Amino acid sequence: MSENCTHDCSTCASKGNCSSEIQKEKLNAYSNVKKVYGIVSGKGGVGKSLVTSLMATTMARRDNRVAIIDADITGPSIPKMFGVKSNIESCSEGLIPSKSKMGIEMTSVNLMLENESDPVVWRGPVIAGMVKQFWTDFIWSDIDYMFIDMPPGTGDVPLTVFQSIPLDGIIIVTSPQELVSMIVKKAVKMAKLMNVPIVAIVENMSYIKCPDCNKEIHVFGESHIDEIAKENGIDTIGKIPMDPSLANLSDKGAIELFEGDWLENVADKIEK
């Protein structure tokens, strides 16, 4: 990639196919990460951090060593959801990730701030540089699956992750609203520009179950996720309900205690 890259693939002579030419950032010499998956969306507020947490927990329950990079620098929430408060430590070989109760390794800017409520007021290049350091400077100890919780959209940080970290695939997160088709297409097109496979699409807030009759109620109207997935050639779909227990567990920092098999088929796809 040219040093004069504007990060706008649509105006680039290589039409976004420069990803194969880009030198990926190297892991810390003491790290070993086997598979890396990005959790992305075309807009905010759809539940990427929730899906990241559920996927990490699901894979950890299958006796895998799992890690999370919280790349949503200005809106980090992963440590809160896992109840992790310990600050990042360092040694002569590099930085040491924090760990959840299940042993999921993680890093987040919130684990480096004096107060977790302090805002991160940084410009794009600084934020992108921090994400690279999460990959290069930390000692990730023999990780089977790493998940990267990305900020929404197709800006600096998602582009940095796509270009700098060797992704094995992405999981697109969305919600049932009508504008979903357009939003999903943006994420799909970016993945194709960067030559990264799409593993699955996950619809969060897909429905809510009546506590009396157990009937599924589609609060946002009938879901079109199946048609959207088919249209974009995605064969694995996950549907997460609006469940008060998930919000409660997230607020308590106990997301690892969730009960539900909504993402088991996505986990099966990843393990294959």
Side-chain angles (χ1 to χ4, degrees):
M1 181 179 64
S2 167
E3 292 180 0
N4 298 318
C5 178
T6 63
H7 301 306
D8 183 1
C9 293
S10 64
T11 62
C12 179
S14 63
K15 298 301 180 186
N17 293 318
C18 58
S19 58
S20 60
E21 304 168 10
I22 296 170
Q23 184 66 42
K24 301 292 185 180
E25 296 291 333
K26 292 184 178 180
L27 273 173
N28 182 291
Y30 296 90
S31 292
N32 179 32
V33 179
K34 297 173 184 175
K35 297 288 184 181
V36 187
Y37 295 92
I39 313 297
V40 308
S41 77
K43 67 183 293 295
V46 297
K48 289 185 309 305
S49 296
L50 175 64
V51 172
T52 302
S53 301
L54 298 185
M55 280 304 310
T57 301
T58 298
M59 300 309 290
R61 288 175 179 176
R62 296 185 176 203
D63 295 324
N64 294 298
R65 293 180 66 90
V66 181
I68 299 175
I69 287 180
D70 189 352
D72 194 351
I73 303 297
T74 58
S77 57
I78 291 296
K80 171 71 174 177
M81 298 178 80
F82 284 88
V84 174
K85 297 181 179 180
S86 57
N87 290 329
I88 298 295
E89 297 181 359
S90 63
C91 63
S92 58
E93 290 81 19
L95 299 172
I96 303 171
S98 298
K99 287 187 178 182
S100 71
K101 296 179 181 66
M102 286 182 67
I104 297 173
E105 296 185 11
M106 64 183 67
T107 184
S108 171
V109 73
N110 253 19
L111 296 173
M112 303 176 179
L113 300 175
E114 186 174 347
N115 300 301
E116 64 177 17
S117 59
D118 289 345
V120 177
V121 189
W122 298 345
R123 293 193 181 277
V126 179
I127 294 175
M130 173 64 78
V131 173
K132 287 182 182 180
Q133 287 184 288
F134 284 162
W135 174 254
T136 60
D137 293 6
F138 279 75
I139 302 172
W140 303 105
S141 53
D142 199 23
I143 299 299
D144 295 309
Y145 299 99
M146 172 181 281
F147 296 96
I148 302 180
D149 182 16
M150 295 201 215
T154 54
D156 276 350
V157 173
L159 189 59
T160 295
V161 173
F162 274 106
Q163 292 182 331
S164 304
I165 298 176
L167 292 177
D168 292 278
I170 64 167
I171 297 170
I172 299 174
V173 184
T174 187
S175 57
Q177 288 92 334
E178 281 295 326
L179 52 75
V180 160
S181 179
M182 178 188 70
I183 299 301
V184 170
K185 284 179 180 178
K186 287 180 181 291
V188 168
K189 287 181 178 180
M190 184 173 189
K192 288 181 178 178
L193 279 171
M194 306 309 298
N195 299 316
V196 177
I198 300 170
V199 176
I201 182 170
V202 175
E203 184 178 68
N204 188 31
M205 300 177 283
S206 184
Y207 58 89
I208 188 168
K209 279 197 173 183
C210 174
D212 297 322
C213 66
N214 215 34
K215 178 182 177 182
E216 290 186 5
I217 302 170
H218 298 276
V219 179
F220 298 103
E222 200 64 33
S223 170
H224 299 285
I225 196 67
D226 296 278
E227 302 99 278
I228 294 169
K230 185 177 180 180
E231 181 183 345
N232 290 283
I234 303 170
D235 59 7
T236 304
I237 302 170
K239 296 181 180 181
I240 303 175
M242 297 176 68
D243 190 337
S245 67
L246 287 176
N248 188 39
L249 289 172
S250 297
D251 290 341
K252 290 182 176 179
I255 195 62
E256 290 166 305
L257 300 178
F258 87 91
E259 297 179 3
D261 59 358
W262 314 296
L263 298 179
E264 291 296 331
N265 63 330
V266 182
D268 290 340
K269 177 84 175 282
I270 284 177
E271 285 193 332
K272 288 177 182 178

